[in-house]
Amino acid sequence: MKCHKSDQLKPYFDGKLSSLESAELEQHVDSCISCQEELVRLMEGTPDAEEWLAEELLAPHFTELVMGDIARQAKSMNRKNTWRKRSLDIMKKTAIAVAGLAAAVTFGTMVSPTFANYVNSLFHTINQADGGMKNAAVEGYVQEVNKKVSDKGITVTVKEVLADPTRIALILEIVDQDGKKLDYKAGEYETSFTLTDKDGKDLNPEGDGWARKKYGDYMLVKKDLYHLFTGAEEVPDEITVIFEFSKIMQTDGSWKLEIPIDMKKAKEVAKTVVINQEYTSPQGVVIKLDNIITVPSSSLLTLQTDWNEQRNEEYRKLIEEKGWNDAPDGQRKEIGLTDGERMQHYLTSYDLAYEILDEKGNLIAGRDDTMFHALNGIRKNGVENTRQGKGDSEGRGMVWWDGFTPFTGHEKVIFKLHSIYLNEPASFEAKIALDEWSKQPVVVENSGSTFTFSKFHLKKSDEEEMIGGYKWDDKGGIIEFEATLPKDIVYITDWKAKDETGKVYRVSMNNGDAEYTRGKDGRVQIKSALFIDGLERQPKELTITYGIQQHQYRDGNWEVPIQLEK
């Protein structure tokens, strides 16, 4: 089934979406197999694709780095400097290619992950496994399967299954007729996944949420369950994973494999602790802790966030005063958000940081949504792919499922709110004459920020070049800078540049190679570069602006002791 967002892929690939729209789409594509496959089709035959797709896929840590909603998405740690390279980056990290199974097969016996203490599990020994998977393997909640199916010279082995009420994961091995493991190249498969109960009822009709990754020499296929069921008791005792493939590498065909999984034993050890505590920050952000469910592969904290009426009213007043309620009536004439819509998306986005402490106050786990987690040093023991937001129609109300390595061995933990991050309008402006710039660095103090613009480069070719310590593609202007941000501001975005003729250019900051540190006064310091897309000549004057700053609030004083079940 075609995803409704797939119509945005072609404009994205051509670089016609705004940075905000691109960030939203990237987050969606990271977990949407339908859009991944469509992106692959769009990129087939492009000059860079063959070379890039032949490279080894990166380790599966990308998803953990790009969590959260629009503001976090817009500052992706691994953003490339062209839309095409970013497209390839998504393909390499999320669309692991060879995923094929031959000949329709239905296993006659249920796979019960709690029947074997399989300490030497691949989930335990492969480095890419998160701490929760390793814990589940050690405790015996991984089942060795080793079921093989072969067709047209390709053999697929389901090596192991891990299953509990929060997620299902399978490790696959794919080899050719000579026993050689096939290379995992993106774009060389067509597949779909279905999850049913024992009566054949589709538990996930949308078909989304499946992820595939390179996992050592194997392939990992997994699906989170926590957003499908409100509690462990709602998970069916028997679940069947159905793989349907129509292409493996260059071989077309029709293959199907069904894997029934017995969930009863894993459900029996699931422990749920109801918390039901609520707090409203001085900024009007409401946080409600619902519960913690502990299963073999994770301790999953469910919380809800929203704005109170006072903050909503302040927001509506700001939008009205600034004229940011400019959404067009009827059908849009052009692709892209209006300036007002873009600002609304930024301003309704908010993030959290909190710590999970033991009874002695030691940090055992932590969530921190700031892009550069070294600034606070509290992000710890997060379980990959077990955190997801679910927004309401206005984008303020959210439900979060935050997964951590299981809190086993602790009878009591303490939830401690660390920070709330809010996006706020900024008015920074730096007007620079290029002839002055060529003689010495230009220092600009504006809106509480201090910027030192050190060098300007005009890149005139589309070839990849190393400039200012960074790799760049496409034509455009490059500005190297160092900056000290205002007190409690941890990130800035929504950049623009305007030349002396009044022409406005899209600007992006290099975050992948940027250096973010805190000075002795606690203020954030940045060393990075800006890319001015489409700048073809050296202007006489440039006006550089950013319109959004992320404010870190540390004035929340909320701790919640949580008594865990023994």
Side-chain angles (χ1 to χ4, degrees):
M1 182 181 295
K2 184 177 180 181
C3 176
H4 69 282
K5 285 185 174 289
S6 62
D7 291 339
Q8 292 182 285
L9 292 171
K10 184 63 166 63
Y12 169 87
F13 181 66
D14 293 336
K16 295 180 179 180
L17 299 187
S18 69
S19 59
L20 180 64
E21 292 170 305
S22 298
E24 289 181 288
L25 186 61
E26 288 166 11
Q27 179 73 4
H28 169 77
V29 173
D30 279 337
S31 61
C32 178
I33 290 176
S34 174
C35 284
Q36 291 168 15
E37 293 174 344
E38 179 65 21
L39 182 59
V40 168
R41 284 190 283 272
L42 286 173
M43 298 206 63
E44 286 179 348
T46 60
D48 291 331
E50 293 299 320
E51 176 183 354
W52 277 62
L53 296 179
E55 296 177 3
E56 181 178 357
L57 298 173
L58 302 183
H61 301 305
F62 177 74
T63 306
E64 187 173 355
L65 295 175
V66 270
M67 289 296 184
D69 51 4
I70 296 165
R72 253 181 357 269
Q73 298 164 15
K75 57 199 183 196
S76 167
M77 284 287 287
N78 291 302
R79 177 175 299 282
K80 295 292 180 182
N81 297 310
T82 68
W83 305 113
R84 287 175 174 81
K85 287 293 180 68
R86 177 63 183 135
S87 301
L88 287 159
D89 196 41
I90 292 175
M91 291 164 59
K92 290 168 65 180
K93 292 182 176 70
T94 63
I96 302 301
V98 181
L101 295 167
V105 172
T106 300
F107 294 148
T109 58
M110 300 296 293
V111 176
S112 180
T114 60
F115 287 161
N117 186 12
Y118 192 48
V119 178
N120 293 322
S121 162
L122 294 171
F123 284 105
H124 182 250
T125 58
I126 293 178
N127 290 334
Q128 291 98 324
D130 61 55
M133 289 181 176
K134 292 179 182 291
N135 182 79
V138 170
E139 293 190 1
Y141 290 91
V142 170
Q143 174 65 45
E144 185 176 15
V145 180
N146 282 330
K147 298 292 185 179
K148 299 180 180 181
V149 290
S150 299
D151 187 42
K152 298 182 180 179
I154 296 175
T155 298
V156 178
T157 303
V158 179
K159 301 290 289 184
E160 299 177 10
V161 173
L162 181 156
D164 64 34
T166 65
R167 55 178 167 171
I168 293 174
L170 304 97
I171 294 179
L172 308 180
E173 181 184 63
I174 307 173
V175 300
D176 64 16
Q177 58 189 359
D178 298 320
K180 181 181 178 181
K181 293 183 180 180
L182 297 182
D183 188 17
Y184 298 101
K185 294 180 181 178
E188 297 182 348
Y189 62 88
E190 293 179 7
T191 182
S192 64
F193 300 94
T194 305
L195 193 68
T196 69
D197 63 15
K198 66 178 181 180
D199 298 321
K201 178 184 177 182
D202 194 339
L203 301 174
N204 185 39
E206 297 298 324
D208 59 356
W210 291 92
R212 291 166 294 190
K213 294 179 180 291
K214 183 176 174 63
Y215 196 75
D217 292 329
Y218 305 93
M219 176 187 296
L220 177 70
V221 178
K222 61 181 180 177
K223 166 69 178 173
D224 293 324
L225 303 179
Y226 51 83
H227 64 288
L228 296 179
F229 310 104
T230 58
E233 68 281 355
E234 291 192 5
V235 178
D237 290 342
E238 298 177 10
I239 287 179
T240 299
V241 178
I242 304 172
F243 303 80
E244 294 187 55
F245 294 82
S246 58
K247 187 173 185 179
I248 300 174
M249 300 296 284
Q250 301 301 320
T251 304
D252 292 324
S254 178
W255 301 276
K256 184 176 181 180
L257 176 65
E258 298 185 9
I259 303 178
I261 302 174
D262 188 345
M263 302 294 292
K264 291 191 291 292
K265 296 296 183 181
K267 287 174 59 177
E268 288 174 1
V269 298
K271 298 178 179 179
T272 300
V273 176
V274 177
I275 306 172
N276 197 25
Q277 295 289 319
E278 186 174 302
Y279 169 79
T280 301
S281 78
Q283 298 76 36
V285 177
V286 181
I287 306 170
K288 181 185 177 184
L289 302 183
D290 287 340
N291 59 67
I292 289 180
I293 176 173
T294 297
V295 294
S297 72
S298 69
S299 286
L300 193 70
L301 173 64
T302 302
L303 62 153
Q304 301 180 49
T305 59
D306 208 337
W307 288 5
N308 65 9
E309 184 53 37
Q310 180 180 348
R311 179 161 186 83
N312 274 311
E313 182 59 34
E314 291 172 354
Y315 164 77
R316 288 190 287 264
K317 183 178 179 181
L318 176 64
I319 295 301
E320 186 69 27
E321 289 177 350
K322 296 291 186 179
W324 288 334
N325 49 359
D326 58 353
D329 295 327
Q331 187 174 1
R332 294 177 184 271
K333 296 181 179 180
E334 297 181 359
I335 295 175
L337 299 176
T338 66
D339 288 344
E341 287 176 314
R342 189 182 70 256
M343 294 303 291
Q344 289 183 51
H345 278 293
Y346 278 126
L347 296 175
T348 56
S349 179
Y350 57 94
D351 299 307
L352 302 178
Y354 62 79
E355 301 166 281
I356 303 294
L357 309 174
D358 65 17
E359 292 185 87
K360 296 181 179 180
N362 299 313
L363 179 69
I364 60 175
R367 163 183 167 181
D368 189 357
D369 295 336
T370 186
M371 178 174 161
F372 297 95
H373 61 271
L375 292 177
N376 298 317
I378 67 167
R379 188 183 299 176
K380 185 177 180 180
N381 286 335
V383 171
E384 186 186 15
N385 280 349
T386 56
R387 184 168 63 202
Q388 178 177 320
K390 182 180 179 181
D392 63 8
S393 60
E394 293 183 311
R396 270 88 98 180
M398 303 287 288
V399 178
W400 302 92
W401 297 277
D402 292 349
F404 302 97
T405 300
F407 302 150
T408 51
H410 297 280
E411 294 185 4
K412 180 180 179 181
V413 296
I414 300 169
F415 172 99
K416 182 178 181 180
L417 181 64
H418 183 279
S419 302
I420 292 176
Y421 302 101
L422 297 173
N423 291 326
E424 300 171 348
S427 56
F428 175 85
E429 180 178 289
K431 185 175 292 187
I432 307 170
L434 269 292
D435 57 352
E436 175 187 355
W437 203 344
S438 63
K439 300 174 184 177
Q440 61 183 2
V442 175
V443 179
V444 176
E445 295 185 6
N446 187 278
S447 300
S449 291
T450 301
F451 274 73
T452 300
F453 297 99
S454 54
K455 295 180 181 179
F456 172 82
H457 311 271
L458 184 63
K459 188 174 180 300
K460 299 181 179 181
S461 74
D462 291 325
E463 299 296 323
E464 183 180 275
E465 293 183 47
M466 180 70 74
I467 299 176
Y470 310 108
K471 288 184 179 180
W472 302 95
D473 304 278
D474 284 351
K475 301 175 183 178
I478 299 166
I479 300 173
E480 298 179 52
F481 74 90
E482 295 184 16
T484 299
L485 303 185
K487 184 178 182 296
D488 298 325
I489 301 302
V490 295
Y491 188 77
I492 49 179
T493 189
D494 195 39
W495 291 89
K496 293 185 179 66
K498 183 172 66 175
D499 64 20
E500 70 278 2
T501 70
K503 184 176 180 179
V504 178
Y505 299 86
R506 183 176 58 194
V507 177
S508 58
M509 183 167 68
N510 187 319
N511 292 318
D513 301 306
E515 297 179 15
Y516 270 67
T517 58
R518 286 194 188 272
K520 293 182 179 179
D521 60 357
R523 296 171 65 185
V524 171
Q525 299 174 341
I526 309 173
K527 182 178 180 181
S528 186
L530 301 173
F531 181 74
I532 306 176
D533 189 28
L535 188 66
E536 297 180 349
R537 63 172 183 81
Q538 181 166 314
K540 296 180 180 179
E541 183 179 86
L542 275 176
T543 301
I544 309 295
T545 63
Y546 64 79
I548 289 291
Q549 59 188 19
Q550 188 180 64
H551 193 143
Q552 180 182 17
Y553 289 94
R554 292 291 313 274
D555 54 353
N557 183 22
W558 190 39
E559 294 187 9
V560 180
I562 303 170
Q563 188 69 44
L564 301 177
E565 289 190 15
K566 297 182 181 180

